[in-house]
Amino acid sequence: MSSSIPVLDAACMVNGAAQERAEFGDKFLKGMVEHGFVKLVNHTVPLPIVQDTFSQIKKFFNLPLDVKAPTINDPKKGQQRGWSPPGEEKTWWLESNTGDIESPQFGDNKESFDCGDPNDKQFPNQWPAESALPGYQKTMDQFYYDCGQLCVDLLDIMAKQLQVDPCLFSSRCTNEASTIRINHFPPVSRDILESGQVSRIWPHNDFGIISLVFPDRTGGLEYEDRQNPGTFIPMPYKGDDEVVVIVSETMQRWTNGLVRAGLHRVTKPVDMVGDRVPERWSLVYFCKADRHVNVGPLKEFVNPEKGPVYENLTALEYQSMRNAVHYPEPAAAPVAVAG
């Protein structure tokens, strides 16, 4: 098995012949099972929408503090909405804590913004004033719907290839709980990242079903080499029309460990020179199960030889539990960690 993740042309999802779609499905599932990652080109999220969204998120992070502050995320609510200041999240606690560290430390060198379904009443979105950033909400809403449809299509492909009901996964995901996460990584001293106390994002799995990551031109996203656990490989970047699809923890739970979540991190670009790690942005869509849905193993993946290896929880219970891990204490006042 190669350590390189597959790069697949997704154009056949729309207008390909039956044989082309079947071959795509075979390769897509193989990549998700073997690596936890697949990269797609010519996917169905329109490139102008992706480019417009990147443009808008850069404008958001350049807003003055007094404009961003009213949208600040409350980590006690269990579901992220709005702006998370630099250092608020501590993803080190998700996979890197071996139990010998008690006090929260090991921060993330990033700020982020989260939003969900435009019609979500349970966890409503928090937007900056339209006058401060015209068109921001409209752009994010359109990006949300386009990514949601691509995810549903990919879930149906996975189910079909696994020889279960093609709607097994998508029937549990109307995208009511799915979210967009945008990240801004400010420039930072190389020494700070190499100190072992701060990372851009520590190694972690995502919590939902699958994730879509639209990479920035600045490198730093890396995925674990499953042939050499603990070793990470830089995610190559070829063009703006790419999206990386990542297996997340709910898919691993549903399939009883058959399709495992892909461990990944964000660090300094592997080929960087100099003492200053450059600024970076990323755009992520987390496809999540509906909140009331059970995220324990589905019966289709349980048998006498392998009983259920995960407990039954609702998606909301699981998401809230996992969110609490990387917000280990109430957030302090915003503190820059750019260095």
Side-chain angles (χ1 to χ4, degrees):
M1 180 179 73
S2 170
S3 296
S4 299
I5 66 169
V7 180
L8 305 181
D9 189 333
C12 65
M13 291 176 62
V14 176
N15 53 20
Q19 181 63 30
E20 291 177 307
R21 295 196 301 271
E23 291 175 358
F24 174 86
D26 287 341
K27 294 176 182 177
F28 182 74
L29 179 63
K30 185 174 187 289
M32 296 294 264
V33 170
E34 291 186 353
H35 301 281
F37 304 85
V38 170
K39 183 182 286 188
L40 302 181
V41 296
N42 297 321
H43 52 81
T44 56
V45 181
L47 181 57
I49 295 295
V50 176
Q51 293 171 329
D52 188 29
T53 307
F54 263 112
S55 175
Q56 287 282 10
I57 68 175
K58 292 178 182 180
K59 293 176 184 177
F60 172 80
F61 288 121
N62 283 325
L63 291 173
L65 178 61
D66 63 339
V67 177
K68 288 189 288 189
T71 72
I72 197 165
N73 173 61
D74 181 357
K76 295 179 181 178
K77 291 186 176 180
Q79 304 296 296
Q80 296 104 318
R81 289 294 185 270
W83 176 56
S84 294
E88 180 179 272
E89 273 195 333
K90 294 177 174 62
T91 53
W92 179 88
W93 285 75
L94 291 171
E95 304 296 336
S96 302
N97 185 16
T98 58
D100 55 344
I101 302 294
E102 296 182 0
S103 60
Q105 50 185 297
F106 304 106
D108 289 21
N109 169 247
K110 67 176 174 65
E111 58 180 325
S112 57
F113 180 91
D114 294 87
C115 59
D117 188 324
N119 300 310
D120 192 349
K121 305 300 183 187
Q122 186 174 2
F123 299 99
N125 292 320
Q126 300 187 128
W127 300 107
E130 177 68 16
S131 58
L133 192 54
Y136 181 68
Q137 179 178 349
K138 181 180 179 181
T139 297
M140 299 298 282
D141 286 352
Q142 185 60 58
F143 180 76
Y144 183 91
Y145 289 129
D146 288 336
C147 288
Q149 186 57 58
L150 174 57
C151 285
V152 167
D153 294 341
L154 293 173
L155 293 180
D156 288 348
I157 289 171
M158 289 185 70
K160 183 177 180 180
Q161 296 304 126
L162 288 165
Q163 299 181 0
V164 296
D165 180 347
C167 297
L168 181 66
F169 303 135
S170 63
S171 64
R172 292 165 167 78
C173 173
T174 64
N175 285 315
E176 66 162 30
S178 299
T179 54
I180 296 171
R181 156 65 63 92
I182 59 176
N183 293 308
H184 172 229
F185 306 89
V188 62
S189 165
R190 184 178 194 142
D191 290 342
I192 288 180
L193 289 189
E194 293 180 350
S195 72
Q197 298 294 307
V198 174
S199 182
R200 289 201 140 168
I201 303 180
W202 298 87
H204 68 287
N205 299 319
D206 295 338
F207 309 151
I209 310 171
I210 58 175
S211 301
L212 305 178
V213 179
F214 296 83
D216 181 28
R217 289 180 179 273
T218 301
L221 176 63
E222 298 183 345
Y223 62 96
E224 185 181 41
D225 179 2
R226 288 185 173 172
Q227 296 185 74
N228 299 283
T231 300
F232 288 83
I233 300 174
M235 185 71 69
Y237 177 88
K238 299 296 184 182
D240 293 345
D241 64 338
E242 298 178 340
V243 63
V244 179
V245 187
I246 305 177
V247 178
S248 303
E249 290 179 347
T250 297
M251 178 62 75
Q252 177 172 317
R253 293 171 63 87
W254 275 348
T255 61
N256 208 27
L258 175 63
V259 187
R260 293 185 293 139
L263 192 69
H264 55 290
R265 69 181 185 183
V266 179
T267 184
K268 65 181 184 294
V270 67
D271 57 351
M272 72 158 287
V273 295
D275 297 326
R276 196 75 170 164
V277 183
E279 188 173 32
R280 187 181 189 275
W281 294 266
S282 68
L283 181 55
V284 187
Y285 183 88
F286 298 119
C287 175
K288 300 177 183 178
D290 291 351
R291 295 181 182 123
H292 70 283
V293 166
N294 181 16
V295 295
L298 298 173
K299 62 181 178 59
E300 288 83 354
F301 300 97
V302 177
N303 55 61
E305 289 74 33
K306 185 176 183 181
V309 296
Y310 304 102
E311 74 275 34
N312 290 322
L313 293 168
T314 68
L316 180 56
E317 289 171 335
Y318 186 71
Q319 178 80 26
S320 299
M321 179 183 73
R322 293 294 278 148
N323 275 343
V325 174
H326 63 106
Y327 293 105
E329 66 177 7
V335 176
V337 291

